[in-house]
Amino acid sequence: MWSTFVMTLKSNVRDKASLFWLIVFPLVLATLLTGMFGDLAEGYELKPIPMAVVEDARLDGSAGAKAFVGALSGDSTTSASQSASESGGLDDLGTKLVEATPVASTDQARKALADGTVDGYIAADGNGRLTITLASKVASGAAGSMDSASSEAIAIAALDGAIDLYNRTDAVTRETIERNPQAATSRVFWSSLGDVTGMTREIRLTNFKPDVMARYFYAMLGMACLMAMGYAISAVTTAQANLSALGIRRTVAPLGRGRQLLAGFLASWLCSGLSLLIALAYIRYVCGIALGGREPAAVLAVAVASFMACAFGTMIGAIPKLPHSVKMGLTSAIACTLSLFSGLYGGFAMALSDWIARNAPVLALINPAQQVANLFYDILYFDSYRPFLVTCAVLLAMSALFLAVGVVMLKEQRYEHL
């Protein structure tokens, strides 16, 4: 059995086609994904908008508005922050939303807007409330990109929300003081105005902040995993007397068929697991797709996924009277087809994968490529390991089913002559 294991291992290492699909292809595809979409994450970073600020008498007459604009542009001085807080602004925006260019009048702001120097301008009205004016191309571009959540659209939405919050708080403050002038002398009143910013806070729903491209890389691992079926197919077909001369010799060998198949399965599992580990290491350390410190779980995911792939290959390899070349063709066809529904082929495929998960979860459950990708999603997106273990159980159940079907087909095979 050990000799069969070693010889199968050597045969797998010498199989150039399998090495290409399991090692070279994932590395090349991961490199292409990194080159084409490597800067995609930058599109989701919040960047300040170049805006003109009209510093006229109306803005100077409203200390709260002036301080708030300073906070939007990154002015973190103590007096500005305090004034912004007392006027219902944000104590600490944390993110610079405006790249401010001071101008003396609205006419100068409009001229800068026409020249393309700025994307808009901020001005105060007679009541001390802030208004924002955007260039038509900027406004239309942001509206058109809302569905894709571009950086510019997010920044404009955040700026609009911040100014609207200030104006509403300022209006409430003025109305309250007008009805109850004594409120202006109350420190509790001014402190309560700043509490409105605590009504919302940023939270993290995932284990850590994953890369926006992570889904494509792990969908690619799902495809590479299914391509690993080729190792197990070769191990089974070379033990079938009606498919090759080697199969005839192995059939009459003193080592039983069950031990031969077990040795071939273990060798195939080892080769496929190592190949996927190489791809995973390349994605993690060269492409920079982080795993949130859960690398040991990712190694376990590779072991489970490669075991399922070998079980699937054993079932396909056990199909009687089907040539080895046809079985290998089935491997490519199955891997490419199932990868479509796991989201490998771009945004449309990702949208299709999400639609299936929401509306036909059973189809996602029985898709091996999707379940392999889910292993890594579970590592990335959940604090608990329970979803990951559930996905492992699903893949192990698939493996048991594939092996059972393969064993039944192999036991029913008989030869009239060799």
Side-chain angles (χ1 to χ4, degrees), residues 32-260:
L32 291 176
L33 288 174
T34 303
M36 290 187 298
F37 305 112
D39 58 347
L40 184 62
E42 296 180 2
Y44 292 86
E45 294 179 0
L46 202 60
K47 298 179 180 178
I49 307 171
M51 302 284 289
V53 177
V54 182
E55 296 184 348
D56 54 8
R58 288 181 293 186
L59 183 65
D60 293 337
S62 176
K66 188 172 183 178
F68 186 76
V69 172
L72 290 175
S73 59
D75 183 2
S76 59
T77 60
T78 303
S79 59
S81 299
Q82 182 178 358
S83 298
S85 175
E86 293 176 351
S87 299
L90 303 178
D91 292 338
D92 184 6
L93 292 173
T95 301
K96 184 178 179 181
L97 294 179
V98 173
E99 192 70 43
T101 301
V103 295
S105 65
T106 304
D107 292 337
Q108 292 184 9
R110 290 173 180 171
K111 182 179 180 180
L113 189 63
D115 294 341
T117 307
V118 296
D119 291 341
Y121 63 88
I122 299 174
D125 60 14
N127 296 322
R129 298 175 186 175
L130 296 174
T131 61
I132 179 173
T133 303
L134 295 174
S136 57
K137 63 177 181 179
V138 175
S140 60
S145 60
M146 278 298 181
D147 292 337
S148 60
S150 68
S151 173
E152 186 177 52
I154 295 173
I156 290 175
L159 179 60
D160 180 70
I163 291 179
D164 181 64
L165 173 62
Y166 169 80
N167 288 335
R168 286 187 285 110
T169 306
D170 182 71
V172 171
T173 303
R174 293 175 184 272
E175 183 179 357
T176 302
I177 293 177
E178 182 179 353
R179 292 183 178 181
N180 184 13
Q182 295 181 351
T185 62
S186 173
R187 181 177 296 272
V188 176
F189 169 73
W190 293 110
S191 299
S192 65
L193 294 177
D195 292 341
V196 67
T197 60
M199 295 176 63
T200 60
R201 67 183 185 276
E202 182 180 2
I203 61 174
R204 188 175 64 191
L205 300 177
T206 57
N207 173 50
F208 82 116
K209 184 180 179 181
D211 192 284
V212 295
M213 285 300 299
R215 294 189 65 185
Y216 295 98
F217 285 96
Y218 296 141
M220 182 202 68
L221 279 180
M223 179 180 180
C225 175
L226 291 184
M227 294 300 297
M229 293 188 297
Y231 282 140
I233 290 175
S234 298
V236 174
T237 54
T238 53
Q240 292 175 293
N242 62 331
L243 296 181
S244 66
L246 177 59
I248 296 176
R249 293 195 298 271
R250 293 181 65 175
T251 299
V252 298
L255 185 64
R257 178 187 290 185
R259 299 180 69 183
Q260 290 184 32

Side-chain angles (χ1 to χ4, degrees), residues 9 64 68 72 124 126 138 219 229 241 266 300 332 346 361 414:
L9 197 61
F68 186 76
L72 290 175
V138 175
M229 293 188 297
L266 293 176
L300 176 60
S332 301
R414 297 290 185 271

Side-chain angles (χ1 to χ4, degrees), residues 19 23 110 125 151 379 413:
L19 290 177
I23 297 180
R110 290 173 180 171
D125 60 14
S151 173
I379 293 173
Q413 293 179 14

